[in-house]
Amino acid sequence: MARFQENDLPKAKLNSNSLQKALRIFKYAKNHKWKFFLGLIFLFLTSATALAFPKLMGMLVDCVTNKDLSKANEIALGLMVILGLQAIFSFFRISLFVNFTENSLSNIRFALYENLIKLPMSFYSQKRVGELNSRISADISQLQDTFSTTIAEFLRQFILIIGGFVILGSISPKLTLMMLAIVPIVAVAAVIFGRFIRKYGKKTQDKVAESQVIVEETLQGISNVKAFANEWYEIQRYKNKIREIVKIAIKGGQYRGYFASFIILCLFGCVVAVVWYGITLTIKGEVEGVGDLISFVLYTTFIGASFGGIAEMYAQIQKAVGATERVFELLEETPEEINAKPRLSAVEKIKGNVAFNNVAFSYPSRKEVQVLKDVNFNAEFGQKIAIVGPSGAGKSTISSLLLRFYDITSGEILVDGKNIYDYDLENLRGNMSIVPQDVILFGGTIRENIAYGNPNASEEEIIAAAKQANAFNFVDGFPEKFETLVGERGVKLSGGQRQRIAIARALLKNPSILILDEATSSLDSESEKLVQEALEVLMEGRTSIIIAHRLSTIRNADKILVLDNGRISEEGTHQELINLENGIYKNLSNLQFSNS
Ligand SMILES: Nc1ncnc2c1ncn2[C@@H]1O[C@H](COP(=O)(O)OP(=O)(O)OP(=O)(O)O)[C@@H](O)[C@H]1O
């Protein structure tokens, strides 16, 4: 699975258009906006106090020259007061920005999740969910850093640079000009150099990540590695990667060495040059005293450091603008018409007559391939309709269309004579249940997993459903019974046990239309018997659409549809289809029964 690091986030161009878009984020700040603006005031105050610091330090040094102790005391006290103020302002600035950011981000996270969970299946069939997830978390953490620190730091450095230059100009215009000529150039060179080094750092990280993937893959598939006696191959693969890491890391280290030499030579060289020139000017009387010179050097250091930091912060802000754009793209995707609130009214029961009339369909991600062509069939209330056919024929697609996961291309699907697109979506799905091929249980207790079919179910109803689904006995055998945790941190249930939980879940939902997707395809005969019994109970009094591979389980279906390459090529009862000369069903049936 691809993992996005913040380093990988693409930047967006900063122009009025992209900034305007990014500012929509304030919509999610709701009644916390004032914190951001109050934070800005504290930011301004912190920068102002920071700017007073070098000036006062200079004045303090002048007291040495003038041997003025009482003034020195006053200034030292002033400096302490300023430090105190700066500490207080900084505290409020940081707390306010963090408070604003966390509140806004929690609103954004919530809005994102709410929208994502409501997006139609067509959205998910075009996106890799793991990638989407790690992308969103990288985007959100970029926004978190930017809004809680980077913007404020960027503005603070900006104020320090402008303010610093104004004060420098007032101390000595000549010296300022000289400083302007060298410091920004060196600072910018340092930034470019730094970026280059970071690139090497990132390359090393990527290679380390690649090597970790090798370890992960081989340890997860260790039985495969051993069965193929391919230990030597994996060792070689890992060794090569490790060698690459060393090469790149050493190269990066060299550049870091150059960088350190560059900083010592140029940056400190510049400070020496400014100090030397300042001393010359002081001796000539063009700068007033040593104190001014000290202030000058301190301001220069401030400005140099700010120049260094501001470029990196600008890049961070560009990334945050890109992140906001992507987050908004997801927020603006059109969701399904789902309320996503607990239902107040009960589901309006439908009877369960289903009709597919001339249905054609292509998946939105592969429009050129027609998966279903001219599909026609009827399922009367209470009937069992089986769909069989080769892999990839489109059997599961039929169930997805009935659940309205995708919009059909042409034709119509009717439920109780009414077009499924005229139903309230929640109501339609509220009348259906699916027992899928791979039952996914949520990481909670068995009780919670069964109650997923009807969160309002009583204890007795849950137990009754478990009994009917042949699940009660194995659940009762666990020390914690219905409170047993399942999923990653709990017990691992077998395929058959999981299916019986899914059947109990479906029983609780009490649907009019039931979809069974190859529910018995991967079970041993004992488990299959238990599941099959539970399914018989479940199917009673409902319309069932059974997608099956094993023909033995569908012999008594009211109707069997044979799907071939997206078309229904045969239709009838088991007996009728068996009698078709050269029929697909007949062939399939001969194959399966001669094997078993
Ligand atoms: N989300 C999707 N996006 C694009 N194509 C898809 C998608 N899901 C299925 N398909 C394609 O649609 C065709 C029918 O798939 P479907 O899963 O309905 O077949 P199936 O008969 O149920 O197969 P199996 O018995 O192997 O489960 C296949 O060619 C498959 O590749």
PDB file of all heavy atoms in Angstrom, residues 35-53:
ATOM      1  N   LYS A  35     -10.415  33.307  17.343  1.00  0.00           N
ATOM      2  CA  LYS A  35      -9.162  32.864  17.973  1.00  0.00           C
ATOM      3  C   LYS A  35      -7.990  33.098  17.030  1.00  0.00           C
ATOM      4  O   LYS A  35      -6.904  33.477  17.454  1.00  0.00           O
ATOM      5  CB  LYS A  35      -9.239  31.378  18.345  1.00  0.00           C
ATOM      6  CG  LYS A  35     -10.206  31.140  19.467  1.00  0.00           C
ATOM      7  CD  LYS A  35     -10.377  29.679  19.766  1.00  0.00           C
ATOM      8  CE  LYS A  35     -11.478  29.505  20.795  1.00  0.00           C
ATOM      9  NZ  LYS A  35     -12.019  28.182  20.840  1.00  0.00           N
ATOM     10  N   PHE A  36      -8.250  32.872  15.739  1.00  0.00           N
ATOM     11  CA  PHE A  36      -7.181  33.078  14.759  1.00  0.00           C
ATOM     12  C   PHE A  36      -6.797  34.565  14.734  1.00  0.00           C
ATOM     13  O   PHE A  36      -5.619  34.913  14.771  1.00  0.00           O
ATOM     14  CB  PHE A  36      -7.650  32.613  13.374  1.00  0.00           C
ATOM     15  CG  PHE A  36      -6.586  32.671  12.326  1.00  0.00           C
ATOM     16  CD1 PHE A  36      -5.633  31.678  12.237  1.00  0.00           C
ATOM     17  CD2 PHE A  36      -6.522  33.736  11.434  1.00  0.00           C
ATOM     18  CE1 PHE A  36      -4.639  31.730  11.283  1.00  0.00           C
ATOM     19  CE2 PHE A  36      -5.527  33.795  10.472  1.00  0.00           C
ATOM     20  CZ  PHE A  36      -4.587  32.777  10.398  1.00  0.00           C
ATOM     21  N   PHE A  37      -7.818  35.428  14.704  1.00  0.00           N
ATOM     22  CA  PHE A  37      -7.514  36.862  14.583  1.00  0.00           C
ATOM     23  C   PHE A  37      -6.895  37.414  15.872  1.00  0.00           C
ATOM     24  O   PHE A  37      -5.970  38.218  15.815  1.00  0.00           O
ATOM     25  CB  PHE A  37      -8.762  37.627  14.141  1.00  0.00           C
ATOM     26  CG  PHE A  37      -9.166  37.218  12.752  1.00  0.00           C
ATOM     27  CD1 PHE A  37     -10.259  36.394  12.527  1.00  0.00           C
ATOM     28  CD2 PHE A  37      -8.378  37.580  11.659  1.00  0.00           C
ATOM     29  CE1 PHE A  37     -10.591  35.970  11.249  1.00  0.00           C
ATOM     30  CE2 PHE A  37      -8.695  37.156  10.368  1.00  0.00           C
ATOM     31  CZ  PHE A  37      -9.802  36.354  10.168  1.00  0.00           C
ATOM     32  N   LEU A  38      -7.369  36.934  17.026  1.00  0.00           N
ATOM     33  CA  LEU A  38      -6.752  37.360  18.283  1.00  0.00           C
ATOM     34  C   LEU A  38      -5.304  36.857  18.321  1.00  0.00           C
ATOM     35  O   LEU A  38      -4.389  37.568  18.742  1.00  0.00           O
ATOM     36  CB  LEU A  38      -7.551  36.787  19.465  1.00  0.00           C
ATOM     37  CG  LEU A  38      -7.211  37.398  20.817  1.00  0.00           C
ATOM     38  CD1 LEU A  38      -7.488  38.899  20.822  1.00  0.00           C
ATOM     39  CD2 LEU A  38      -8.030  36.729  21.932  1.00  0.00           C
ATOM     40  N   GLY A  39      -5.097  35.634  17.815  1.00  0.00           N
ATOM     41  CA  GLY A  39      -3.756  35.063  17.729  1.00  0.00           C
ATOM     42  C   GLY A  39      -2.846  35.967  16.895  1.00  0.00           C
ATOM     43  O   GLY A  39      -1.684  36.192  17.237  1.00  0.00           O
ATOM     44  N   LEU A  40      -3.420  36.531  15.810  1.00  0.00           N
ATOM     45  CA  LEU A  40      -2.633  37.432  14.960  1.00  0.00           C
ATOM     46  C   LEU A  40      -2.186  38.666  15.738  1.00  0.00           C
ATOM     47  O   LEU A  40      -1.052  39.144  15.579  1.00  0.00           O
ATOM     48  CB  LEU A  40      -3.464  37.868  13.750  1.00  0.00           C
ATOM     49  CG  LEU A  40      -3.581  36.880  12.596  1.00  0.00           C
ATOM     50  CD1 LEU A  40      -4.403  37.487  11.463  1.00  0.00           C
ATOM     51  CD2 LEU A  40      -2.208  36.458  12.077  1.00  0.00           C
ATOM     52  N   ILE A  41      -3.062  39.186  16.599  1.00  0.00           N
ATOM     53  CA  ILE A  41      -2.696  40.369  17.399  1.00  0.00           C
ATOM     54  C   ILE A  41      -1.531  40.015  18.326  1.00  0.00           C
ATOM     55  O   ILE A  41      -0.542  40.744  18.417  1.00  0.00           O
ATOM     56  CB  ILE A  41      -3.916  40.869  18.208  1.00  0.00           C
ATOM     57  CG1 ILE A  41      -4.974  41.377  17.230  1.00  0.00           C
ATOM     58  CG2 ILE A  41      -3.514  41.957  19.207  1.00  0.00           C
ATOM     59  CD1 ILE A  41      -6.255  41.822  17.854  1.00  0.00           C
ATOM     60  N   PHE A  42      -1.633  38.843  18.970  1.00  0.00           N
ATOM     61  CA  PHE A  42      -0.529  38.428  19.856  1.00  0.00           C
ATOM     62  C   PHE A  42       0.745  38.185  19.064  1.00  0.00           C
ATOM     63  O   PHE A  42       1.844  38.460  19.538  1.00  0.00           O
ATOM     64  CB  PHE A  42      -0.926  37.184  20.659  1.00  0.00           C
ATOM     65  CG  PHE A  42      -1.756  37.525  21.855  1.00  0.00           C
ATOM     66  CD1 PHE A  42      -3.114  37.243  21.878  1.00  0.00           C
ATOM     67  CD2 PHE A  42      -1.189  38.164  22.944  1.00  0.00           C
ATOM     68  CE1 PHE A  42      -3.887  37.580  22.977  1.00  0.00           C
ATOM     69  CE2 PHE A  42      -1.951  38.503  24.052  1.00  0.00           C
ATOM     70  CZ  PHE A  42      -3.309  38.213  24.065  1.00  0.00           C
ATOM     71  N   LEU A  43       0.563  37.735  17.847  1.00  0.00           N
ATOM     72  CA  LEU A  43       1.727  37.514  16.984  1.00  0.00           C
ATOM     73  C   LEU A  43       2.444  38.837  16.717  1.00  0.00           C
ATOM     74  O   LEU A  43       3.672  38.936  16.797  1.00  0.00           O
ATOM     75  CB  LEU A  43       1.237  36.921  15.666  1.00  0.00           C
ATOM     76  CG  LEU A  43       2.265  36.832  14.572  1.00  0.00           C
ATOM     77  CD1 LEU A  43       3.004  35.521  14.700  1.00  0.00           C
ATOM     78  CD2 LEU A  43       1.632  36.910  13.209  1.00  0.00           C
ATOM     79  N   PHE A  44       1.643  39.850  16.436  1.00  0.00           N
ATOM     80  CA  PHE A  44       2.210  41.165  16.157  1.00  0.00           C
ATOM     81  C   PHE A  44       2.937  41.682  17.400  1.00  0.00           C
ATOM     82  O   PHE A  44       4.053  42.187  17.322  1.00  0.00           O
ATOM     83  CB  PHE A  44       1.065  42.112  15.740  1.00  0.00           C
ATOM     84  CG  PHE A  44       1.570  43.434  15.283  1.00  0.00           C
ATOM     85  CD1 PHE A  44       2.119  43.581  14.016  1.00  0.00           C
ATOM     86  CD2 PHE A  44       1.531  44.537  16.136  1.00  0.00           C
ATOM     87  CE1 PHE A  44       2.618  44.808  13.598  1.00  0.00           C
ATOM     88  CE2 PHE A  44       2.028  45.764  15.722  1.00  0.00           C
ATOM     89  CZ  PHE A  44       2.564  45.891  14.455  1.00  0.00           C
ATOM     90  N   LEU A  45       2.300  41.475  18.563  1.00  0.00           N
ATOM     91  CA  LEU A  45       2.910  41.951  19.811  1.00  0.00           C
ATOM     92  C   LEU A  45       4.212  41.200  20.120  1.00  0.00           C
ATOM     93  O   LEU A  45       5.193  41.810  20.528  1.00  0.00           O
ATOM     94  CB  LEU A  45       1.922  41.762  20.977  1.00  0.00           C
ATOM     95  CG  LEU A  45       0.699  42.689  20.927  1.00  0.00           C
ATOM     96  CD1 LEU A  45      -0.308  42.303  22.002  1.00  0.00           C
ATOM     97  CD2 LEU A  45       1.126  44.144  21.098  1.00  0.00           C
ATOM     98  N   THR A  46       4.243  39.894  19.885  1.00  0.00           N
ATOM     99  CA  THR A  46       5.489  39.132  20.142  1.00  0.00           C
ATOM    100  C   THR A  46       6.591  39.645  19.231  1.00  0.00           C
ATOM    101  O   THR A  46       7.731  39.810  19.664  1.00  0.00           O
ATOM    102  CB  THR A  46       5.356  37.608  19.826  1.00  0.00           C
ATOM    103  OG1 THR A  46       4.033  37.288  19.522  1.00  0.00           O
ATOM    104  CG2 THR A  46       5.897  36.743  20.905  1.00  0.00           C
ATOM    105  N   SER A  47       6.253  39.899  17.948  1.00  0.00           N
ATOM    106  CA  SER A  47       7.285  40.348  17.021  1.00  0.00           C
ATOM    107  C   SER A  47       7.802  41.722  17.432  1.00  0.00           C
ATOM    108  O   SER A  47       9.003  41.986  17.376  1.00  0.00           O
ATOM    109  CB  SER A  47       6.723  40.432  15.598  1.00  0.00           C
ATOM    110  OG  SER A  47       6.001  39.288  15.303  1.00  0.00           O
ATOM    111  N   ALA A  48       6.878  42.594  17.885  1.00  0.00           N
ATOM    112  CA  ALA A  48       7.295  43.941  18.282  1.00  0.00           C
ATOM    113  C   ALA A  48       8.251  43.859  19.470  1.00  0.00           C
ATOM    114  O   ALA A  48       9.297  44.527  19.489  1.00  0.00           O
ATOM    115  CB  ALA A  48       6.072  44.777  18.635  1.00  0.00           C
ATOM    116  N   THR A  49       7.928  43.009  20.451  1.00  0.00           N
ATOM    117  CA  THR A  49       8.816  42.909  21.624  1.00  0.00           C
ATOM    118  C   THR A  49      10.158  42.294  21.208  1.00  0.00           C
ATOM    119  O   THR A  49      11.202  42.702  21.690  1.00  0.00           O
ATOM    120  CB  THR A  49       8.189  42.045  22.745  1.00  0.00           C
ATOM    121  OG1 THR A  49       7.582  40.901  22.140  1.00  0.00           O
ATOM    122  CG2 THR A  49       7.156  42.798  23.535  1.00  0.00           C
ATOM    123  N   ALA A  50      10.104  41.337  20.248  1.00  0.00           N
ATOM    124  CA  ALA A  50      11.362  40.726  19.788  1.00  0.00           C
ATOM    125  C   ALA A  50      12.243  41.797  19.150  1.00  0.00           C
ATOM    126  O   ALA A  50      13.461  41.810  19.318  1.00  0.00           O
ATOM    127  CB  ALA A  50      11.076  39.599  18.809  1.00  0.00           C
ATOM    128  N   LEU A  51      11.593  42.727  18.427  1.00  0.00           N
ATOM    129  CA  LEU A  51      12.366  43.757  17.733  1.00  0.00           C
ATOM    130  C   LEU A  51      13.001  44.758  18.704  1.00  0.00           C
ATOM    131  O   LEU A  51      14.033  45.377  18.390  1.00  0.00           O
ATOM    132  CB  LEU A  51      11.454  44.507  16.747  1.00  0.00           C
ATOM    133  CG  LEU A  51      11.272  43.835  15.386  1.00  0.00           C
ATOM    134  CD1 LEU A  51      10.222  44.568  14.579  1.00  0.00           C
ATOM    135  CD2 LEU A  51      12.591  43.766  14.620  1.00  0.00           C
ATOM    136  N   ALA A  52      12.384  44.914  19.879  1.00  0.00           N
ATOM    137  CA  ALA A  52      12.944  45.880  20.847  1.00  0.00           C
ATOM    138  C   ALA A  52      14.197  45.320  21.509  1.00  0.00           C
ATOM    139  O   ALA A  52      15.046  46.071  21.993  1.00  0.00           O
ATOM    140  CB  ALA A  52      11.884  46.179  21.908  1.00  0.00           C
ATOM    141  N   PHE A  53      14.333  44.004  21.483  1.00  0.00           N
ATOM    142  CA  PHE A  53      15.392  43.332  22.225  1.00  0.00           C
ATOM    143  C   PHE A  53      16.820  43.775  21.821  1.00  0.00           C
ATOM    144  O   PHE A  53      17.579  44.257  22.675  1.00  0.00           O
ATOM    145  CB  PHE A  53      15.188  41.820  22.076  1.00  0.00           C
ATOM    146  CG  PHE A  53      15.924  41.025  23.084  1.00  0.00           C
ATOM    147  CD1 PHE A  53      15.497  40.975  24.403  1.00  0.00           C
ATOM    148  CD2 PHE A  53      17.059  40.320  22.728  1.00  0.00           C
ATOM    149  CE1 PHE A  53      16.182  40.244  25.343  1.00  0.00           C
ATOM    150  CE2 PHE A  53      17.743  39.585  23.656  1.00  0.00           C
ATOM    151  CZ  PHE A  53      17.307  39.546  24.973  1.00  0.00           C
TER     152      PHE A  53
END
